[in-house]
Amino acid sequence: DIQMTQSPSTLSASVGDRVIITCRASQSISTWLAWYQKKPGIAPKLLIYKASTLESGVPSRFSGSGSGTEFTLTISSLQPDDFATYYCQQYNSYCTFGQGTKLEIK
Amino acid sequence: QMQLVQSGPEVKKPGTSVKVSCKASGFNFTMSAVQWVRQARGQHLEWIGWIAVGSDVTNYARKFQERVTITRDMSTGTAYMELSSLRSEDTAIYYCAAAKSWPDVFDIWGEGTMVTVSS
């Protein structure tokens, strides 16, 4: 199975900060990678798919990049609503999630 | 409006089975795939498996392969996830999600179903 490794597991930041979350695949997945935002009690929300395509309705401060085995999610200027847990998921073969990155208020 | 509506909360005894449903509307169910994901309290999202609705092909995570069955009923536009030999560690919220045009990203999510396993 393809393993997905996210880092960091926890990130403390302030409103207005630029943050980057990394996701590494154990083997190449081309660009079959999605990023989701997860809040307690709410279903995951799709942010980015095909590694860099912004889902309709998602603010442009979110962006994704990468291909093969290395991927990043960038939030250019954190807003209060962005404090949540973020997951990457590969959907190339089976569909593995990363372990998540909890974005906390500093 | 494209949506997935899941069945209600379940309380089960250890060793029994649970079957959760996920009814699709607003998109072509036959062209889609449906995955099942769970999240236990304080834990990360865990992928269980998916079904390609039109072809009835399934793919399961190795961890669940012996205990899970994902099916679909095209006449009602509903997908199902049945998990057997339940144990307390299976207590979690179970989500279904659809990829409208398979293969593609899972972009439509159900609201989740709480499954509690307790003696």
Side-chain angles (χ1 to χ4, degrees), chain A residues 84-104:
Chain A
T85 301
Y86 293 84
Y87 291 91
C88 62
Q89 184 189 29
Q90 66 85 10
Y91 52 105
N92 175 61
S93 169
Y94 296 78
C95 292
T96 329
F97 284 96
Q99 316 96 304
T101 295
K102 185 174 182 180
L103 184 50
E104 299 179 328

Side-chain angles (χ1 to χ4, degrees), chain A residues 55-102:
Chain A
E55 171 71 345
S56 176
V58 174
S60 59
R61 62 181 180 272
F62 292 92
S63 63
S65 66
S67 65
T69 61
E70 297 279 337
F71 302 88
T72 59
L73 172 70
T74 301
I75 310 173
S76 60
S77 178
L78 273 174
Q79 298 303 301
D81 190 49
D82 299 340
F83 292 95
T85 301
Y86 293 84
Y87 291 91
C88 62
Q89 184 189 29
Q90 66 85 10
Y91 52 105
N92 175 61
S93 169
Y94 296 78
C95 292
T96 329
F97 284 96
Q99 316 96 304
T101 295
K102 185 174 182 180

Side-chain angles (χ1 to χ4, degrees), chain A residues 28-39:
Chain A
S28 177
I29 57 170
S30 183
T31 56
W32 297 107
L33 185 99
W35 289 97
Y36 295 93
Q37 180 190 69
K38 182 70 174 70
K39 295 182 177 180

